[in-house]
Amino acid sequence: MFRVRDDASKAEVKQAVELMFEVKVEGVNLLNKPGKTRRFKNVAGKRNGFKKAYVRLETGQSIDFTAALRSKDYRPWHSLK
């Protein structure tokens, strides 16, 4: 599962994962997670929502996240906005 930009499409997510992690992606499902409504001292507010991407890899493929985090090309999701 990855947290992606709100305007990302399935094709863009698939291409990015294949390029970044050098794996073959079988499929991508996207989910828009709405923000939660919260109260603080009788003042209502709302947290920001976000988009998740569930990525299915082809059989025999795996992602080594520790190697990806050590990579100099790694950028956390919040730096993509």
Side-chain angles (χ1 to χ4, degrees), residues 54-74:
Y54 291 94
V55 178
R56 240 178 358 267
L57 301 179
E58 289 186 1
T59 307
Q61 299 283 312
S62 64
I63 294 176
D64 182 12
F65 284 105
T66 55
L69 291 174
R70 287 190 299 258
S71 168
K72 63 181 178 182
D73 297 330
Y74 171 72

Side-chain angles (χ1 to χ4, degrees), residues 1 6 16 18 21 25 36 56 59-60 69 74 76 78:
M1 186 208 48
D6 292 338
E18 287 180 345
F21 299 107
V25 174
K36 291 183 177 182
R56 240 178 358 267
T59 307
L69 291 174
Y74 171 72
H78 51 77

Side-chain angles (χ1 to χ4, degrees), residues 23-80:
V23 294
K24 289 290 183 182
V25 174
E26 184 178 316
V28 176
N29 289 337
L30 296 177
L31 173 89
N32 283 317
K33 182 81 172 144
K36 291 183 177 182
T37 302
R38 294 292 181 190
R39 300 186 72 78
F40 181 74
K41 293 187 178 181
N42 273 348
V43 177
K46 189 169 183 173
R47 292 183 181 171
N48 292 333
F50 57 92
K51 188 179 241 185
K52 288 186 197 182
Y54 291 94
V55 178
R56 240 178 358 267
L57 301 179
E58 289 186 1
T59 307
Q61 299 283 312
S62 64
I63 294 176
D64 182 12
F65 284 105
T66 55
L69 291 174
R70 287 190 299 258
S71 168
K72 63 181 178 182
D73 297 330
Y74 171 72
R75 293 188 328 174
W77 64 269
H78 51 77
S79 69
L80 299 177

